[in-house]
Amino acid sequence: MSTSLMNPAEAPLAVPPPRKARRIPGWAVGALGVAGAVVLLSTTSYLTGVPQLTSTGTIQTAVRLALPILLAALGGLWAERAGVVNIGLEGMMIMGTWGAAWAGYQWGPWAALVAAAVFGALGGLLHAIATVTFGVNHIVSGVAINLLGAGLTKYLSTLIFFPLSNNPRESPAVPKFDTYSASGLSDWLGRLEAQQRVGLSDVAGILRGLVTGVSPLTMLAILFVIGSYLLLWRTRFGLRLRSCGENPVAAESLGVNVYLYKYVAVIASGALAGIGGAALVLNPGQPGYLEGQTNGRGFIGLAAMIFGNWRPGGLLGGAALFGYADGLQLRSGGKTFLALVYGAVLLLAVIVIWQLVRRRWFAAAFGILAAGLLYAVYYSVDEVPSELTTYAPHLVTLIVLGVASQRLRMPAADGVVYRRG
Amino acid sequence: MSTTTPAVVLSGITKRFPGVVANSDVHLSVQVGEVHALCGENGAGKSTLMKILYGMQQPDEGTIEVGGQPVRFRTPADAIKAGIGMVHQHFMLADNLTVQENVVLGAESLHGIGAKARKRILELAEATGLTVDPAVLVERLGVADRQRVEILKVLYRGAKVIILDEPTAVLVPQEVDELFTTLRGMQEQGFTFLFISHKLDEVRAIADSVTIIRRGTTVGTADPKAVSSRQLAEMMVGSELPSPETRESTVTDRVVLKVENLGLVAVEGTRPVLDDIDLVVRAGEIVGIAGVEGNGQTELVETIMGMRKAHHGRVLLGDRDLTRLGTLARREAGIGYIPEDRHRQGLLLTQPLWANRILGHQTRRPVSNGQWLDLAGAKDDTRRIVEEFDVRTPGIDVAAVALSGGNQQKLVVGRELAGDPVLLIASHPTRGVDVGAQALIWDEIKNARARGLAVLLISADLDELIGLSDTIRVMLRGRLVADADPATVTPEDLGSAMTGAGATSAAVAEHAPGGAHARGAELEGE
Amino acid sequence: KDTGGTQPGSTNTAEGCKLADKPPAAAATSSAATSDEKVDGSALKVGLAYDIGGRGDASFNDSAAAGLDKAKADFGIAEVKELTAAPNEPEDAKQTRLRQLAGEGFNPIIGVGFAYAESLKVVAPEFPNVKFAIVDGAVEGAANVTPLLFAEEEGSFLAGVIAAYKSKSCHVGFVGGVEIPLIQKFDAGYEQGAKAAAPDIKIEKKYLTPAGDFTGFQDPTKGQEAATGQVEAGADVLYHAAGASGKGVFSAAKTGNALAIGVDSDQYNQKTVEESKDVIVSSMLKRVDVAVYDFVKAVAKNDLASLPKVFDLSVDGVGYSTSGGKIDENLKAVLEGYKAQIIAGKIDVKDKL
Amino acid sequence: MGILRGKLLPPVLAILFSALLCGIALVVSGASPLRAFGVMLSQVGQGTTAVDIVNSTGTYYIAALAVAIGFQMNLFNIGVEGQYRVAAVVAAVVGGSIALPPGLHALVIILTAAVAGALWAAIPAILKVTRGVNEVISTIMMNGLALGLAAYLIGADVFGELRGNNIRTPEIPESGWVPGIPLGSSGTVFGLVFLAALLGIGYWVMMNRTRFGFELRASGESSTAAAAGGVNAKKMVLIAMLLSGAIAGLVSMPEILGRDHTYNLNFPAGIGFSGIAIALLGRNHPGGIAFGALLWAFLDKSGLALDNVGVPREIVTIMQGAIVLSVVVAYEVVRRFEVAAQQRQVGRQLGTVDAA
Ligand SMILES: Nc1ncnc2c1ncn2[C@@H]1O[C@H](COP(=O)(O)OP(=O)(O)OP(=O)(O)O)[C@@H](O)[C@H]1O
Ligand SMILES: Nc1ncnc2c1ncn2[C@@H]1O[C@H](COP(=O)(O)OP(=O)(O)OP(=O)(O)O)[C@@H](O)[C@H]1O
Ligand SMILES: [Mg+2]
Ligand SMILES: [Mg+2]
């Protein structure tokens, strides 16, 4: 090679693009985050004397509440990774609840799951037809599907459930899954938890919550998370699917059938959201289908997915955070909520120190201010008004998003209408 | 080298778009193992023809033969199967995927997506000299590397006929040479190339034969070794070849733009993107900035325009300190700005031309009275630009997207020269623009300079840079590392300076050796 | 696999509360003599405007429907029309519904739920000859609107007594659907009753959503989690006033080996909660059916003045159910004792805390 | 002709298609679609339905305008729902606790509502601008918090008062009311319906004639081009969101000042979400939105009549969803049809045209 030519090794280093290569792999970041959260919670629990923060029951509740959100978020992940924004998750979830109830009361919970997936997938199919084939704005289509899902299920319930349950807004009772526990481990952890040892008991409580009274649905959802990761990031199918969300024109030019992959992704998305609906119906305590049952969980799922940076691990974190905060406020109300505020102060303190180390004075000052404010709240009230605790999950999500530095990155062609040719 | 059956034969190809006939009865025959160039003005229909050959678009009429067999490509997959590969004018890479993922996408059945695929990529890179790290994200690559990835993609699929659509538009001469070396090497291994370029010298340097397209139809085939660039250009447009040269100097000693000690940091704690830039542009002077893409030119321009916030340093226009002002205030102070990417930064594509006239001038006459728009004024002035700058359009109410690239660029130039700016910042003002439009834009910039306009010119087209500029500064890794005298410097010298290979000519005066900035110093991601 | 029912933490070895002195036994059950006089309603066209949920909600709408059905059968009513409110509907939809009924000649017309109060204020004066009634509400200044109000706090008082007597850990819970005044009445009565029966009793409370967010009546999952929380905190008898969310409370009680008290109608006999019916000790009955029935009857007899101002314990407008056999004679005697005292005014049950 | 085909044909097609779809659904369920549609149409002439439709159109129109302002620059304000609720409570509280001369009183209430809505919207706006928080998430969360805040504010020990089983804010004195146009037994048209019309005109003028509107549209069309043109993206996000929130704050003003004079537990929910659908239906154009709002209101109000003939009222929701979807599909189909026609035309002129 002639000397005047550029040798790649000496090629001028391009100006660094804003995003850097990651030195730490994603799973490690996730593990660190989880560890950090556990430490934070057990410290808070110790300092405030509120053991509920890490009790088995709280964790179990969190898991149950997070489940439908997690599944909806996974649905969102599939669609958006293929470049289709899915604001219709709520509608597909509603379709899922109806399908689950309809099949479930007749043939049991497994049939409910399948039917929910099918009904959700129908919603997904409609979304795919509108957005992929007809090039309709994704948000328009999603909004329409939310309306259609709600209208259709109400209509169908009046026709089909009314004669059975004597109530046009409710299905007959649906049989539920049995739950399973790793009993030996669970008992051992239970003893550990009961000893009230700082840190150790907290971890035991959390772990015990995760291995006790587990519904097959929970295991399935975890499988879905792992499966989605493997499928989307480790197979050719996933590569092709994601390429449709990053640069569909390039994908098409390489012989990827973009329409097909978008269809598959959006239908899968609907099916997952539908299963999310089934998770709601099959939750202990739910009679079956109930009008208004999803109550915005599809939207929360969407938020969890964005929160999780369009990644399976991240959205698991988002759903868990929401479920945890919701579980906490439902179970124990104002007091524990205050403990959470205290935890937020601790978190902010850590962040402020980090910012000081990095010599980011402004961010640090902002953090100190926020921490001071929150601490004043913690100090001055005994119990947060119940009107506000109900929405603790919303507040926590907002605060976490506001505090966590925003490095979110959506698929490059997400929401862009793609036309072949 | 020609054999009996041509590699590819296109006959009677016609392709219509709404309002446009992109190809009309095109004939093209490419021999096995040759580099066949395709030349034509902007919008002549070259890319469209190639997309048809690659199965991305279906011809309305006409037939395609590959290796003597008539074929019908419904998708690129069909074309790939037939051994045809295409490197697009606009790179077709997914930024957020790795090089390896981009390469194997769509061809996973060959070697999977894992270690085997990686091995194969490295083999190919070895064989052709297209070295690049398969594990790196594409968004972190510069243009030359991206092009390597594009060619690797094609090779990975086993293509024997490779279409290169304007591959050299964004490369510096050294990179072009390197590309040509690669192409020649591959040609010897039996690959066939279809090569599109506006740069006729390059065509003559690399091509074995050339087909010329004018207004969507083939006007002839020539032997590039036997014709001059001028003859080729005349076949393309039927007019004379313009030149960017500016003869007499109009430089005054009145300083218009003064940049002092300007610094910019992309991410806290990383290497600076702009490092202590000092720069002066005087009235009547064109200062050219040479540099390989990605060395901070974009950032420099955007910092001067106030689109990025300087970390330290000052920007002065005349006596006025602009450092703390926003982009609009800087524009109001008298800066015109031709952005490097007219589609992304210069135009509102779906809006009518007159709305595009308002952009950047929304507070100034004649298109606005401050807070209220003056639509009549905007329309009148748009008509003026259309006339003066020879913007070929059916009217001023059509959407900007309906115009060809050259005409879009003329509109942008007309807009930025409106309202008598004192400083024009022109980033790649003629990129991807055909010779006719190019000549007009050069003339307009020269005229404005003669009227006392100060111009900061950034261009990858070294002929343009050398021809237009009064002074050339070379930018490397965020620093101005050398000055060059446009009267004596050659593109090759400039190219060496730009890549940091060291001055090879007296025409380039290097500054004190730029402290080698460490490559590392990267923060962990996410 | 979980067999259900192993409840962590709550080792209920305690033998229950230290109970307050039992009230004196009630004199005689003053079960109102259901006079079998024949009432003719064949001239009546009765209109019923339900609140969200409507017929089939297994709650107070259904109870109203039951009253209407009975009235129809007993009095031979000519025609009946029932319309239902949609969730989140604007005010004018309710007005339109009432006007529709009035316009088609229905008289009397009953609005089920306090949500109709504002609409009736507007519509009732437009139809001065139509006799309106409103369940759970009152409209000032409209002479032709009969309020059908209930003393939920009195019924809930008895529920509190039941809870205190049934609790082994002397720790009970209350789950409210939405924190509105109506539900706070249940809450208040319950607490007073529980405290009256066992002064040391601990009470857990949770409202699922605050006022204005009516999804709290529609979210069994939340009901279940809130109830589970209370059970794990030690409560072993749960009373709910949470509409459909109450189903979650029953289910939580079942898994947590606790007991539950239903609300509005006799929930032991409800199909949708069949699988957890064995935990239902009793239900606080709010006899909307009685009120509707009595109102129609009074209209037929043209004797509105005979209606009580408030349907309270004294007229059996509220009460408790005994289906399921978990209220033994002993407890029943106690309850009747408290009931007599309340009726007699010896115990004043407040509707607010 | 072309305009007619391009702009008006699609909505007509879509409505017909949706009606057909619902008709089929009705037939399947054993009801007569003709009867159902007939009842819906005749309902307009009954009682106060016509006036209710007008009033409701006004409300929907304001909500959709609020959403549309965000859409113009690709900001997705799902938070209209929460913004109008917070604004309603705050305005009702303020209106009920001050005494001012007629006219001025109402004006102050309206301004309060706008400011409250804007402030509520400011939180997601600031989070987006300073912290890059996606507005879709933050506004969803803010909707939840709005419910909590409203509940807290009307608490009996805060600003609310108990009325039977209802809680409400203190009644706004008559000086704060905005009189409507009484049409006897047909009801009363809210005075503030005209506010909606005024807002529509203002919106049109702003989008088409002002620098701000231009910058908004430019940001929506291409944020990069807008930035190069001197549009400060962060400032635009902030202003657009505040403006959207301020308009959202006005959503419930016609009802509160024209009829209820208080905020109570029966406050309607979901108007913000309808606003999203209507803005999309009307393609962010003031005329289109007006049409969409009218259609929506018609379906809502006349749908009440379906109960009379024993048809599930939910068919209306299905119809609304179907219309939103089929309108956009119809626009797309018509557009493709026109493109094809143009292509054929070019084909005929082949040889005589000049490329470009
Ligand atoms: N998808 C399309 N839809 C409509 N018109 C198109 C499309 N693609 C290309 N055109 C038009 O067809 C004509 C030929 O375009 P093409 O891209 O083939 O030109 P080109 O010769 O490659 O020009 P350039 O030198 O600028 O790359 C132009 O007028 C262009 O505007
Ligand atoms: N979705 C729609 N439904 C019904 N009518 C519509 C719709 N969209 C636009 N219109 C009507 O069509 C006409 C033209 O609309 P168009 O969007 O072309 O306006 P425009 O050219 O953008 O003008 P403007 O300068 O007002 O924005 C308007 O009168 C408008 O009311
Ligand atoms: Mg081009
Ligand atoms: Mg081209």
PDB file of all heavy atoms in Angstrom, chain C residues 263-285:
ATOM      1  N   VAL C 263     -71.193  -6.669  51.058  1.00  0.00           N
ATOM      2  CA  VAL C 263     -71.858  -5.386  51.150  1.00  0.00           C
ATOM      3  C   VAL C 263     -73.007  -5.291  50.148  1.00  0.00           C
ATOM      4  O   VAL C 263     -73.028  -5.993  49.148  1.00  0.00           O
ATOM      5  CB  VAL C 263     -70.834  -4.245  50.924  1.00  0.00           C
ATOM      6  CG1 VAL C 263     -70.552  -4.068  49.457  1.00  0.00           C
ATOM      7  CG2 VAL C 263     -71.310  -2.945  51.555  1.00  0.00           C
ATOM      8  N   ASP C 264     -73.948  -4.425  50.474  1.00  0.00           N
ATOM      9  CA  ASP C 264     -75.091  -4.082  49.608  1.00  0.00           C
ATOM     10  C   ASP C 264     -76.143  -5.179  49.520  1.00  0.00           C
ATOM     11  O   ASP C 264     -77.259  -4.998  49.949  1.00  0.00           O
ATOM     12  CB  ASP C 264     -74.650  -3.682  48.206  1.00  0.00           C
ATOM     13  CG  ASP C 264     -74.050  -2.295  48.186  1.00  0.00           C
ATOM     14  OD1 ASP C 264     -74.219  -1.571  49.188  1.00  0.00           O
ATOM     15  OD2 ASP C 264     -73.394  -1.941  47.194  1.00  0.00           O
ATOM     16  N   SER C 265     -75.737  -6.315  48.896  1.00  0.00           N
ATOM     17  CA  SER C 265     -76.717  -7.391  48.852  1.00  0.00           C
ATOM     18  C   SER C 265     -76.084  -8.625  49.487  1.00  0.00           C
ATOM     19  O   SER C 265     -74.921  -8.596  49.874  1.00  0.00           O
ATOM     20  CB  SER C 265     -77.122  -7.668  47.416  1.00  0.00           C
ATOM     21  OG  SER C 265     -75.975  -7.794  46.621  1.00  0.00           O
ATOM     22  N   ASP C 266     -76.838  -9.687  49.566  1.00  0.00           N
ATOM     23  CA  ASP C 266     -76.338 -10.885  50.227  1.00  0.00           C
ATOM     24  C   ASP C 266     -75.327 -11.563  49.319  1.00  0.00           C
ATOM     25  O   ASP C 266     -75.669 -12.382  48.484  1.00  0.00           O
ATOM     26  CB  ASP C 266     -77.503 -11.820  50.544  1.00  0.00           C
ATOM     27  CG  ASP C 266     -77.048 -13.002  51.392  1.00  0.00           C
ATOM     28  OD1 ASP C 266     -75.822 -13.086  51.648  1.00  0.00           O
ATOM     29  OD2 ASP C 266     -77.898 -13.805  51.771  1.00  0.00           O
ATOM     30  N   GLN C 267     -74.073 -11.239  49.518  1.00  0.00           N
ATOM     31  CA  GLN C 267     -73.065 -11.674  48.556  1.00  0.00           C
ATOM     32  C   GLN C 267     -72.772 -13.168  48.644  1.00  0.00           C
ATOM     33  O   GLN C 267     -72.213 -13.736  47.721  1.00  0.00           O
ATOM     34  CB  GLN C 267     -71.782 -10.849  48.713  1.00  0.00           C
ATOM     35  CG  GLN C 267     -72.030  -9.385  48.383  1.00  0.00           C
ATOM     36  CD  GLN C 267     -70.778  -8.650  47.936  1.00  0.00           C
ATOM     37  OE1 GLN C 267     -69.988  -8.245  48.746  1.00  0.00           O
ATOM     38  NE2 GLN C 267     -70.610  -8.499  46.634  1.00  0.00           N
ATOM     39  N   TYR C 268     -73.163 -13.785  49.743  1.00  0.00           N
ATOM     40  CA  TYR C 268     -72.964 -15.227  49.878  1.00  0.00           C
ATOM     41  C   TYR C 268     -73.648 -15.959  48.731  1.00  0.00           C
ATOM     42  O   TYR C 268     -73.202 -16.990  48.260  1.00  0.00           O
ATOM     43  CB  TYR C 268     -73.508 -15.711  51.219  1.00  0.00           C
ATOM     44  CG  TYR C 268     -73.247 -17.162  51.487  1.00  0.00           C
ATOM     45  CD1 TYR C 268     -72.037 -17.570  52.054  1.00  0.00           C
ATOM     46  CD2 TYR C 268     -74.187 -18.138  51.169  1.00  0.00           C
ATOM     47  CE1 TYR C 268     -71.781 -18.898  52.284  1.00  0.00           C
ATOM     48  CE2 TYR C 268     -73.929 -19.478  51.405  1.00  0.00           C
ATOM     49  CZ  TYR C 268     -72.729 -19.859  51.966  1.00  0.00           C
ATOM     50  OH  TYR C 268     -72.464 -21.176  52.190  1.00  0.00           O
ATOM     51  N   ASN C 269     -74.724 -15.409  48.286  1.00  0.00           N
ATOM     52  CA  ASN C 269     -75.498 -16.082  47.243  1.00  0.00           C
ATOM     53  C   ASN C 269     -75.164 -15.601  45.842  1.00  0.00           C
ATOM     54  O   ASN C 269     -75.851 -15.925  44.894  1.00  0.00           O
ATOM     55  CB  ASN C 269     -76.991 -15.875  47.512  1.00  0.00           C
ATOM     56  CG  ASN C 269     -77.405 -16.614  48.758  1.00  0.00           C
ATOM     57  OD1 ASN C 269     -76.906 -17.712  49.017  1.00  0.00           O
ATOM     58  ND2 ASN C 269     -78.280 -16.000  49.553  1.00  0.00           N
ATOM     59  N   GLN C 270     -74.136 -14.791  45.726  1.00  0.00           N
ATOM     60  CA  GLN C 270     -73.821 -14.277  44.399  1.00  0.00           C
ATOM     61  C   GLN C 270     -72.974 -15.252  43.605  1.00  0.00           C
ATOM     62  O   GLN C 270     -72.023 -15.839  44.118  1.00  0.00           O
ATOM     63  CB  GLN C 270     -73.074 -12.943  44.530  1.00  0.00           C
ATOM     64  CG  GLN C 270     -74.017 -11.777  44.363  1.00  0.00           C
ATOM     65  CD  GLN C 270     -73.339 -10.485  44.700  1.00  0.00           C
ATOM     66  OE1 GLN C 270     -72.129 -10.378  44.606  1.00  0.00           O
ATOM     67  NE2 GLN C 270     -74.115  -9.524  45.106  1.00  0.00           N
ATOM     68  N   LYS C 271     -73.327 -15.375  42.348  1.00  0.00           N
ATOM     69  CA  LYS C 271     -72.649 -16.376  41.527  1.00  0.00           C
ATOM     70  C   LYS C 271     -71.183 -16.019  41.276  1.00  0.00           C
ATOM     71  O   LYS C 271     -70.319 -16.876  41.279  1.00  0.00           O
ATOM     72  CB  LYS C 271     -73.376 -16.502  40.177  1.00  0.00           C
ATOM     73  CG  LYS C 271     -74.187 -17.775  40.091  1.00  0.00           C
ATOM     74  CD  LYS C 271     -75.083 -17.768  38.877  1.00  0.00           C
ATOM     75  CE  LYS C 271     -74.431 -18.398  37.657  1.00  0.00           C
ATOM     76  NZ  LYS C 271     -75.317 -18.339  36.491  1.00  0.00           N
ATOM     77  N   THR C 272     -70.920 -14.745  41.033  1.00  0.00           N
ATOM     78  CA  THR C 272     -69.555 -14.390  40.634  1.00  0.00           C
ATOM     79  C   THR C 272     -68.532 -14.576  41.746  1.00  0.00           C
ATOM     80  O   THR C 272     -67.342 -14.594  41.468  1.00  0.00           O
ATOM     81  CB  THR C 272     -69.476 -12.934  40.150  1.00  0.00           C
ATOM     82  OG1 THR C 272     -70.183 -12.131  41.068  1.00  0.00           O
ATOM     83  CG2 THR C 272     -70.049 -12.781  38.769  1.00  0.00           C
ATOM     84  N   VAL C 273     -68.990 -14.673  42.982  1.00  0.00           N
ATOM     85  CA  VAL C 273     -68.000 -14.872  44.045  1.00  0.00           C
ATOM     86  C   VAL C 273     -68.158 -16.251  44.657  1.00  0.00           C
ATOM     87  O   VAL C 273     -67.689 -16.515  45.760  1.00  0.00           O
ATOM     88  CB  VAL C 273     -68.111 -13.791  45.143  1.00  0.00           C
ATOM     89  CG1 VAL C 273     -67.715 -12.465  44.571  1.00  0.00           C
ATOM     90  CG2 VAL C 273     -69.500 -13.739  45.728  1.00  0.00           C
ATOM     91  N   GLU C 274     -68.776 -17.120  43.911  1.00  0.00           N
ATOM     92  CA  GLU C 274     -69.120 -18.441  44.421  1.00  0.00           C
ATOM     93  C   GLU C 274     -67.916 -19.163  45.028  1.00  0.00           C
ATOM     94  O   GLU C 274     -67.995 -19.749  46.101  1.00  0.00           O
ATOM     95  CB  GLU C 274     -69.671 -19.283  43.274  1.00  0.00           C
ATOM     96  CG  GLU C 274     -70.736 -20.247  43.722  1.00  0.00           C
ATOM     97  CD  GLU C 274     -71.588 -20.674  42.546  1.00  0.00           C
ATOM     98  OE1 GLU C 274     -71.093 -20.627  41.411  1.00  0.00           O
ATOM     99  OE2 GLU C 274     -72.746 -21.047  42.785  1.00  0.00           O
ATOM    100  N   GLU C 275     -66.766 -19.081  44.349  1.00  0.00           N
ATOM    101  CA  GLU C 275     -65.649 -19.896  44.799  1.00  0.00           C
ATOM    102  C   GLU C 275     -65.083 -19.453  46.137  1.00  0.00           C
ATOM    103  O   GLU C 275     -64.391 -20.213  46.787  1.00  0.00           O
ATOM    104  CB  GLU C 275     -64.551 -19.957  43.739  1.00  0.00           C
ATOM    105  CG  GLU C 275     -64.133 -18.608  43.221  1.00  0.00           C
ATOM    106  CD  GLU C 275     -63.210 -18.754  42.015  1.00  0.00           C
ATOM    107  OE1 GLU C 275     -63.539 -19.541  41.105  1.00  0.00           O
ATOM    108  OE2 GLU C 275     -62.174 -18.093  42.029  1.00  0.00           O
ATOM    109  N   SER C 276     -65.353 -18.203  46.506  1.00  0.00           N
ATOM    110  CA  SER C 276     -64.835 -17.819  47.821  1.00  0.00           C
ATOM    111  C   SER C 276     -65.971 -17.567  48.811  1.00  0.00           C
ATOM    112  O   SER C 276     -65.794 -16.874  49.796  1.00  0.00           O
ATOM    113  CB  SER C 276     -63.921 -16.599  47.701  1.00  0.00           C
ATOM    114  OG  SER C 276     -64.360 -15.742  46.691  1.00  0.00           O
ATOM    115  N   LYS C 277     -67.144 -18.151  48.544  1.00  0.00           N
ATOM    116  CA  LYS C 277     -68.285 -17.822  49.391  1.00  0.00           C
ATOM    117  C   LYS C 277     -68.118 -18.329  50.819  1.00  0.00           C
ATOM    118  O   LYS C 277     -68.684 -17.772  51.755  1.00  0.00           O
ATOM    119  CB  LYS C 277     -69.585 -18.345  48.781  1.00  0.00           C
ATOM    120  CG  LYS C 277     -69.755 -19.866  48.862  1.00  0.00           C
ATOM    121  CD  LYS C 277     -70.801 -20.322  47.902  1.00  0.00           C
ATOM    122  CE  LYS C 277     -72.134 -20.517  48.595  1.00  0.00           C
ATOM    123  NZ  LYS C 277     -73.150 -21.042  47.630  1.00  0.00           N
ATOM    124  N   ASP C 278     -67.315 -19.364  50.983  1.00  0.00           N
ATOM    125  CA  ASP C 278     -67.189 -19.918  52.332  1.00  0.00           C
ATOM    126  C   ASP C 278     -66.501 -18.967  53.306  1.00  0.00           C
ATOM    127  O   ASP C 278     -66.516 -19.194  54.503  1.00  0.00           O
ATOM    128  CB  ASP C 278     -66.457 -21.268  52.306  1.00  0.00           C
ATOM    129  CG  ASP C 278     -65.207 -21.223  51.462  1.00  0.00           C
ATOM    130  OD1 ASP C 278     -65.226 -20.497  50.442  1.00  0.00           O
ATOM    131  OD2 ASP C 278     -64.218 -21.888  51.807  1.00  0.00           O
ATOM    132  N   VAL C 279     -65.869 -17.907  52.800  1.00  0.00           N
ATOM    133  CA  VAL C 279     -65.262 -16.963  53.753  1.00  0.00           C
ATOM    134  C   VAL C 279     -66.236 -15.851  54.119  1.00  0.00           C
ATOM    135  O   VAL C 279     -65.959 -15.023  54.976  1.00  0.00           O
ATOM    136  CB  VAL C 279     -63.961 -16.328  53.208  1.00  0.00           C
ATOM    137  CG1 VAL C 279     -62.943 -17.404  52.897  1.00  0.00           C
ATOM    138  CG2 VAL C 279     -64.241 -15.454  51.999  1.00  0.00           C
ATOM    139  N   ILE C 280     -67.359 -15.795  53.438  1.00  0.00           N
ATOM    140  CA  ILE C 280     -68.275 -14.686  53.679  1.00  0.00           C
ATOM    141  C   ILE C 280     -69.127 -14.966  54.918  1.00  0.00           C
ATOM    142  O   ILE C 280     -69.957 -15.862  54.914  1.00  0.00           O
ATOM    143  CB  ILE C 280     -69.165 -14.438  52.445  1.00  0.00           C
ATOM    144  CG1 ILE C 280     -68.268 -14.160  51.236  1.00  0.00           C
ATOM    145  CG2 ILE C 280     -70.111 -13.279  52.696  1.00  0.00           C
ATOM    146  CD1 ILE C 280     -69.023 -13.979  49.948  1.00  0.00           C
ATOM    147  N   VAL C 281     -68.877 -14.196  55.945  1.00  0.00           N
ATOM    148  CA  VAL C 281     -69.593 -14.388  57.213  1.00  0.00           C
ATOM    149  C   VAL C 281     -71.005 -13.842  57.080  1.00  0.00           C
ATOM    150  O   VAL C 281     -71.979 -14.438  57.519  1.00  0.00           O
ATOM    151  CB  VAL C 281     -68.920 -13.595  58.338  1.00  0.00           C
ATOM    152  CG1 VAL C 281     -69.424 -14.079  59.680  1.00  0.00           C
ATOM    153  CG2 VAL C 281     -67.428 -13.681  58.250  1.00  0.00           C
ATOM    154  N   SER C 282     -71.041 -12.674  56.491  1.00  0.00           N
ATOM    155  CA  SER C 282     -72.317 -11.973  56.423  1.00  0.00           C
ATOM    156  C   SER C 282     -72.176 -10.890  55.367  1.00  0.00           C
ATOM    157  O   SER C 282     -71.081 -10.687  54.832  1.00  0.00           O
ATOM    158  CB  SER C 282     -72.626 -11.354  57.792  1.00  0.00           C
ATOM    159  OG  SER C 282     -73.762 -10.519  57.695  1.00  0.00           O
ATOM    160  N   SER C 283     -73.264 -10.226  55.066  1.00  0.00           N
ATOM    161  CA  SER C 283     -73.164  -9.058  54.206  1.00  0.00           C
ATOM    162  C   SER C 283     -73.980  -7.949  54.825  1.00  0.00           C
ATOM    163  O   SER C 283     -75.051  -8.188  55.376  1.00  0.00           O
ATOM    164  CB  SER C 283     -73.712  -9.352  52.815  1.00  0.00           C
ATOM    165  OG  SER C 283     -72.955 -10.348  52.188  1.00  0.00           O
ATOM    166  N   MET C 284     -73.439  -6.731  54.714  1.00  0.00           N
ATOM    167  CA  MET C 284     -74.221  -5.598  55.169  1.00  0.00           C
ATOM    168  C   MET C 284     -75.253  -5.328  54.076  1.00  0.00           C
ATOM    169  O   MET C 284     -74.885  -5.070  52.939  1.00  0.00           O
ATOM    170  CB  MET C 284     -73.300  -4.379  55.347  1.00  0.00           C
ATOM    171  CG  MET C 284     -73.934  -3.254  56.121  1.00  0.00           C
ATOM    172  SD  MET C 284     -75.270  -2.396  55.262  1.00  0.00           S
ATOM    173  CE  MET C 284     -74.342  -1.127  54.448  1.00  0.00           C
ATOM    174  N   LEU C 285     -76.504  -5.441  54.427  1.00  0.00           N
ATOM    175  CA  LEU C 285     -77.541  -5.286  53.406  1.00  0.00           C
ATOM    176  C   LEU C 285     -77.982  -3.841  53.338  1.00  0.00           C
ATOM    177  O   LEU C 285     -78.309  -3.219  54.342  1.00  0.00           O
ATOM    178  CB  LEU C 285     -78.735  -6.167  53.727  1.00  0.00           C
ATOM    179  CG  LEU C 285     -78.433  -7.663  53.829  1.00  0.00           C
ATOM    180  CD1 LEU C 285     -79.691  -8.414  54.244  1.00  0.00           C
ATOM    181  CD2 LEU C 285     -77.886  -8.184  52.522  1.00  0.00           C
TER     182      LEU C 285
END
